[in-house]
Amino acid sequence: MALKSFIHVHPDSHFPIQNLPYGAFKTHSTTLPRLGVAIGDYVLDLSEITKSGLFNSPLLAGSDCFLKPTLNKFLAMGRPAWKEARDTLQKLLSSTEPALRDNMELRQKALVPMSEVEMVLPMEIGDYTDFFSSMHHAKNCGTIFVGPKNPIAPNWFRLPIAYHGRASSVVISGTDIIRPRGQGHPTGNSTPYFGPSLKLDFELEMATVVGPGNELGKTIDVNEAADHIFGVVLMNDWSARDIQAWEYVPLGPFLGKSFGTTISPWIVTLDALQPFACDASKQDPPPLPYLAEKISKNYDIALEVQIKPSGQKDSSVVTRSNLKNLYWTLTQQLAHHTINGCNLRPGDLLGTGTISGPEPDSLGCLLELTWNGQKALSLNGTTRKFLEDGDEVIFTGCCKGDGYNVGFGTCTGKVVPPRD
Amino acid sequence: MALKSFIHVHPDSHFPIQNLPYGAFKTHSTTLPRLGVAIGDYVLDLSEITKSGLFNSPLLAGSDCFLKPTLNKFLAMGRPAWKEARDTLQKLLSSTEPALRDNMELRQKALVPMSEVEMVLPMEIGDYTDFFSSMHHAKNCGTIFVGPKNPIAPNWFRLPIAYHGRASSVVISGTDIIRPRGQGHPTGNSTPYFGPSLKLDFELEMATVVGPGNELGKTIDVNEAADHIFGVVLMNDWSARDIQAWEYVPLGPFLGKSFGTTISPWIVTLDALQPFACDASKQDPPPLPYLAEKISKNYDIALEVQIKPSGQKDSSVVTRSNLKNLYWTLTQQLAHHTINGCNLRPGDLLGTGTISGPEPDSLGCLLELTWNGQKALSLNGTTRKFLEDGDEVIFTGCCKGDGYNVGFGTCTGKVVPPRD
Ligand SMILES: [Ca+2]
Ligand SMILES: [Ca+2]
Ligand SMILES: [Mg+2]
Ligand SMILES: [Mg+2]
Ligand code: NI
């Protein structure tokens, strides 16, 4: 019989007992953020569970990791501690276990309705890296910017291309995104344009949250890389295409990206995703030995992007994709990142890159969907080439299990005009 | 009469009372790092000065900013607090002031010989950015990689090009640099090379240490940018040219840089550099209004690079340059960084980019000095195209005042073979 919680969980909820994603939250009565896991429409406050002494497994008994305002300490403890926490929490929340179920005082303190919490960034992000691992996205971008002849550079098939992103401007779902100002250079103009970006876009991504890191100068083996991945989030790598196009030669994206990057509040653990593992894409040419995995896995995570224009009641689906569309795996990304000895730290964020699929309705950004603004996208009576002020962009991600979901909730942000 | 300290300072010292650069250090007896300023051959321990109650100015009296293990809190306090600290310390250290001079017990505790300390990173670096602001460097790199026709892309003259770097691998002077492994792709080869980098290089740079930051979505005006700059350090942006050349299209440098970046331990304040301010380079075309400064300043800082091969007694000077060689100013770099609303935080590091001058012996990296390995550089009886294991690279930087120097000390690192 399937594992079941004493908490009522709707069948279409993203947060059944099989999931238990981690996040950080504030309430009216708390000043510092607290750590919790999502269960149905509730957040289980892990500081209360700690204080009640219910974390009694070898690595967690007596630990203050869940009394901190961020997950970094827990992330550093690694998979054995993560497994203990998952086992303890699944047991505590199960319908057959009385310890929490029948302790009304503790339930009152530890189970906070989601509607009463404000989610905040669950970890301190030392460094944020963004990969470029969907072949369809690479091909489309290359065709738009370089031309159809050799849209994908030959290095792309040999290594997971990436760039360092900006950690300071990673924000939690729900934060307004202020339209960036900057320089653009429309073709034919000799003086650059300066002003609010005219080509604001979203990028549908997911991102790995790093667990234990590595020492500077050491590498992480690709076959052990999964032990350094705590979980994944949804990520919107907002992009100003006009700023990006003008600035990126020869050192890559900078201000076209660094005005904001949104992540979903709940980190779904790699353990919760295991039932949804699937074969990774076939790679041809075969990867060099340091990237060759004994078992090369991806995850079947259905992704959807909706846009809700200001003043409209309903949002419109603009794309449907899947993490499966990645060419390079999360573990290859992580191992490659360390092959030069670069040190990862707990809480680091590794974006996948825009996750585009092969079909026209599975493209992960407006740049591709509107072919750089050449054709408009229909949105429930209106149209879009790029994002307008007031547009809310809503990502969802979900794995369909047998009678339950393991979902990510949403990752949202509304575009607002520049300040100053 | 010139300001003079009761501490004996050699005339060629980098650290007279006119300088007073900030750093963080450890001794045999301390566990946590402490903050200090350099004076002659001593470090003045600012925690001892704080505990003695000698910081008695309005903003510093009662503050714990110098009891912290990093400068971040002090950096956030801004120029008024920095001025108070400088005034207090110049007074305390002056030959005419008895408070410290005649307090032998405090002198014993607070003045630590430099030979007895280990310097550590003086700040937590939230984000590290690297600019590309020497025209000579941009022209030489473009000629080598793109060809002599249009070596500098047109955007370069319109904005200070930059990329996000890796914060986790910024290390303090004296840290060994482990030769990175990675992929390269020598011309004509279809399968990439994998192994230790064959083209390891240094890059002669300086870097701004950010003081007060800005809120996400707000900008910093170019004419107020200097108030957000605490000071500058020497920086070696070690670069693996083979890895960089193969990976950088289209998203810029990644693993070719992120294996290590060395900074000098002493942050020379902008206040100490004021006597060495000079006119900035003329900019043509004129910068867009948001980059146009009422007063556009650079600093006359003589820079030198030496290489000391393993087993040789002496090091050889390989280049002499000057911060003056920059086209874009430090304040333009900082203002540009925020024009899209990107938030800077106290302690952020903004590298200038390789500081090459116009002459053949003023080029800031081996890529330029050896023209990508096409000609060898003479080094005291041996030669180099790129760095070999055991090579120590030593940067120095110094401003020549009237009878005194304001210097940076050295920024050094020795290349060692890969581990594992
Ligand atoms: Ca992206
Ligand atoms: Ca550089
Ligand atoms: Mg972004
Ligand atoms: Mg570097
Ligand atoms: Ni960073």
Side-chain angles (χ1 to χ4, degrees):
Chain A
M1 206 194 111
L3 194 57
K4 208 173 163 322
S5 177
F6 65 85
I7 313 246
H8 174 71
V9 177
H10 292 276
D12 57 353
S13 168
H14 281 195
F15 307 125
I17 193 168
Q18 288 83 0
N19 191 351
L20 302 183
Y22 288 81
F25 66 99
K26 284 182 175 176
T27 66
H28 320 292
S29 58
T30 56
T31 43
L32 273 185
R34 296 182 175 199
L35 301 174
V37 295
I39 176 78
D41 295 330
Y42 291 87
V43 181
L44 180 68
D45 182 337
L46 298 180
S47 70
E48 294 293 350
I49 301 299
T50 298
K51 285 187 247 163
S52 317
L54 289 168
F55 282 115
N56 51 18
S57 59
L59 296 169
L60 294 176
S63 170
D64 64 352
C65 64
F66 295 129
L67 301 176
K68 304 278 179 187
T70 64
L71 282 166
N72 295 67
K73 183 168 182 177
F74 181 56
L75 298 179
M77 292 167 76
R79 175 134 291 118
W82 307 339
K83 288 242 189 231
E84 285 185 9
R86 184 171 172 82
D87 289 347
T88 298
L89 292 171
Q90 282 195 328
K91 186 167 172 222
L92 269 183
L93 287 166
S94 80
S95 55
T96 54
E97 170 69 27
L100 176 61
R101 185 192 66 197
D102 298 347
N103 183 338
M104 282 302 152
E105 201 192 320
L106 182 57
R107 280 179 66 157
Q108 190 62 32
K109 280 193 293 189
L111 285 162
V112 189
M114 263 190 200
S115 55
E116 290 176 14
V117 306
E118 178 199 346
M119 301 303 295
V120 297
L121 278 186
M123 70 278 190
E124 246 184 81
I125 300 168
D127 278 289
Y128 151 52
T129 301
D130 197 19
F131 283 84
F132 184 54
S133 291
S134 149
M135 187 177 64
H136 310 290
H137 176 65
K139 188 176 172 187
N140 291 328
C141 293
T143 306
I144 290 169
F145 288 124
V146 186
K149 205 169 156 213
N150 290 303
I152 305 184
N155 60 3
W156 194 92
F157 292 96
R158 297 295 190 165
L159 52 86
I161 296 284
Y163 65 99
H164 299 297
R166 179 83 193 173
S168 70
S169 53
V170 177
V171 297
I172 197 75
S173 176
T175 307
D176 284 347
I177 294 297
I178 299 166
R179 183 180 296 272
R181 287 204 187 83
Q183 294 190 30
H185 194 253
T187 356
N189 275 38
S190 73
T191 304
Y193 161 85
F194 176 77
S197 169
L198 303 172
K199 290 189 170 183
L200 188 58
D201 200 354
F202 63 80
E203 286 193 334
L204 172 61
E205 305 199 19
M206 301 193 77
T208 295
V209 176
V210 173
N214 59 306
E215 204 186 310
L216 186 60
K218 304 272 185 170
T219 58
I220 294 175
D221 188 281
V222 72
N223 294 305
E224 286 158 23
D227 284 341
H228 295 262
I229 298 179
F230 175 66
V232 291
V233 290
L234 300 171
M235 186 175 102
N236 185 342
D237 177 23
W238 304 90
S239 299
R241 299 303 181 190
D242 41 357
I243 298 174
Q244 184 184 352
W246 175 231
E247 75 177 356
Y248 90 105
V249 173
L251 299 183
F254 181 50
L255 301 186
K257 301 279 191 176
S258 60
F259 57 91
T261 308
T262 307
I263 61 172
S264 60
W266 296 110
I267 308 173
V268 176
T269 63
L270 219 56
D271 291 321
L273 291 173
Q274 283 323 306
F276 309 97
C278 59
D279 287 345
S281 301
K282 206 180 140 27
Q283 298 180 331
D284 179 25
L288 289 179
Y290 81 93
L291 290 171
E293 304 185 274
K294 285 181 191 143
I295 302 166
S296 198
K297 270 199 237 180
N298 202 332
Y299 299 92
D300 183 355
I301 305 174
L303 302 168
E304 191 177 271
V305 179
Q306 301 184 31
I307 296 180
K308 185 173 171 301
S310 160
Q312 282 200 12
K313 243 183 57 192
D314 296 313
S315 53
S316 308
V317 175
V318 297
T319 202
R320 288 194 176 90
S321 186
N322 194 301
L323 187 74
K324 281 194 298 186
N325 287 321
L326 288 192
Y327 182 89
W328 295 102
T329 66
L330 305 182
T331 39
Q332 287 177 320
Q333 293 174 349
L334 188 138
H336 179 67
H337 205 317
T338 69
I339 191 63
N340 69 341
C342 178
N343 54 327
L344 302 180
R345 294 177 293 190
D348 282 354
L349 192 68
L350 313 185
T352 56
T354 306
I355 305 166
S356 294
E359 302 87 12
D361 56 355
S362 67
L363 303 173
C365 59
L366 291 173
L367 177 75
E368 291 171 83
L369 288 162
T370 72
W371 213 249
N372 199 15
Q374 288 182 46
K375 55 187 184 201
L377 195 70
S378 277
L379 273 194
N380 198 15
T382 178
T383 61
R384 285 292 178 275
K385 290 181 171 174
F386 288 100
L387 294 171
E388 298 191 3
D389 290 347
D391 285 353
E392 190 178 357
V393 180
I394 303 148
F395 291 0
T396 52
C398 196
C399 307
K400 294 273 165 202
D402 188 8
Y404 68 94
N405 301 316
V406 166
F408 290 76
T410 61
C411 174
T412 73
K414 192 168 78 178
V415 177
V416 299
R419 293 188 196 160
D420 290 328
Chain B
M1 204 195 112
L3 194 59
K4 207 172 164 321
S5 177
F6 64 84
I7 311 244
H8 175 71
V9 178
H10 293 274
D12 57 352
S13 169
H14 281 195
F15 308 125
I17 193 168
Q18 288 82 2
N19 191 352
L20 303 184
Y22 288 80
F25 66 98
K26 285 183 175 175
T27 66
H28 321 292
S29 57
T30 56
T31 43
L32 273 185
R34 294 182 176 199
L35 300 174
V37 295
I39 176 77
D41 295 330
Y42 291 87
V43 181
L44 180 68
D45 182 336
L46 299 180
S47 70
E48 294 293 350
I49 301 300
T50 298
K51 286 188 248 164
S52 316
L54 291 168
F55 283 116
N56 51 18
S57 60
L59 296 168
L60 294 176
S63 170
D64 65 352
C65 63
F66 294 130
L67 301 176
K68 304 277 180 188
T70 64
L71 283 166
N72 294 67
K73 184 168 181 179
F74 181 56
L75 298 178
M77 291 167 77
R79 175 136 291 117
W82 308 339
K83 288 242 189 231
E84 285 185 10
R86 183 169 172 83
D87 289 346
T88 298
L89 293 171
Q90 281 194 328
K91 186 167 174 222
L92 269 184
L93 288 166
S94 80
S95 55
T96 55
E97 170 70 24
L100 177 61
R101 185 192 65 197
D102 299 347
N103 184 338
M104 282 304 152
E105 201 191 320
L106 182 57
R107 280 179 66 155
Q108 191 62 35
K109 279 193 295 190
L111 285 162
V112 189
M114 263 191 199
S115 56
E116 290 176 16
V117 306
E118 178 200 347
M119 300 304 295
V120 298
L121 278 185
M123 70 278 190
E124 246 184 80
I125 300 168
D127 278 288
Y128 152 51
T129 300
D130 198 17
F131 284 84
F132 184 54
S133 289
S134 149
M135 188 177 65
H136 312 290
H137 176 65
K139 188 176 172 188
N140 291 328
C141 293
T143 306
I144 290 168
F145 287 126
V146 186
K149 205 171 157 211
N150 291 302
I152 306 185
N155 59 4
W156 194 92
F157 291 97
R158 298 295 189 165
L159 53 86
I161 295 284
Y163 65 99
H164 299 298
R166 179 83 194 172
S168 71
S169 54
V170 176
V171 298
I172 196 75
S173 176
T175 308
D176 284 347
I177 294 296
I178 299 166
R179 181 180 296 273
R181 287 204 188 83
Q183 293 190 31
H185 194 253
T187 359
N189 275 39
S190 74
T191 304
Y193 162 83
F194 176 76
S197 169
L198 303 172
K199 290 189 170 182
L200 188 57
D201 200 354
F202 63 82
E203 286 193 334
L204 172 61
E205 305 198 20
M206 301 194 77
T208 294
V209 176
V210 174
N214 59 306
E215 203 186 310
L216 186 61
K218 303 270 186 172
T219 58
I220 294 174
D221 188 281
V222 72
N223 293 305
E224 286 158 24
D227 283 341
H228 296 263
I229 298 180
F230 176 65
V232 292
V233 291
L234 300 171
M235 186 175 101
N236 186 341
D237 177 24
W238 304 90
S239 299
R241 300 302 181 190
D242 42 357
I243 298 174
Q244 185 185 352
W246 175 231
E247 74 178 356
Y248 90 105
V249 173
L251 299 182
F254 181 52
L255 301 187
K257 302 278 191 177
S258 60
F259 56 92
T261 307
T262 306
I263 62 172
S264 60
W266 296 110
I267 308 174
V268 176
T269 64
L270 219 54
D271 291 322
L273 291 173
Q274 283 322 305
F276 309 97
C278 59
D279 287 344
S281 301
K282 205 180 140 28
Q283 298 180 331
D284 179 26
L288 290 179
Y290 81 93
L291 290 172
E293 304 185 274
K294 285 181 191 141
I295 302 166
S296 198
K297 271 198 239 181
N298 203 332
Y299 299 92
D300 183 356
I301 305 174
L303 302 168
E304 190 177 271
V305 179
Q306 300 184 33
I307 297 179
K308 185 173 172 300
S310 159
Q312 281 199 12
K313 243 181 59 194
D314 297 313
S315 53
S316 308
V317 175
V318 297
T319 202
R320 289 194 176 89
S321 187
N322 193 301
L323 187 73
K324 282 194 297 187
N325 287 320
L326 288 192
Y327 182 90
W328 296 103
T329 65
L330 305 182
T331 39
Q332 287 177 319
Q333 292 174 350
L334 188 139
H336 179 67
H337 205 317
T338 70
I339 192 62
N340 68 341
C342 177
N343 54 328
L344 302 180
R345 295 177 292 190
D348 281 355
L349 192 69
L350 313 185
T352 57
T354 306
I355 306 167
S356 294
E359 302 87 12
D361 56 354
S362 67
L363 304 173
C365 60
L366 291 173
L367 176 75
E368 292 171 81
L369 287 162
T370 72
W371 214 251
N372 199 15
Q374 288 183 47
K375 54 187 184 202
L377 195 70
S378 276
L379 274 194
N380 198 15
T382 178
T383 61
R384 284 292 178 277
K385 291 180 170 175
F386 289 99
L387 295 170
E388 297 191 2
D389 290 346
D391 285 353
E392 189 178 357
V393 180
I394 303 149
F395 292 0
T396 53
C398 197
C399 307
K400 293 273 166 203
D402 188 8
Y404 68 95
N405 301 315
V406 165
F408 290 76
T410 60
C411 174
T412 72
K414 193 168 77 177
V415 177
V416 299
R419 293 188 196 160
D420 291 329

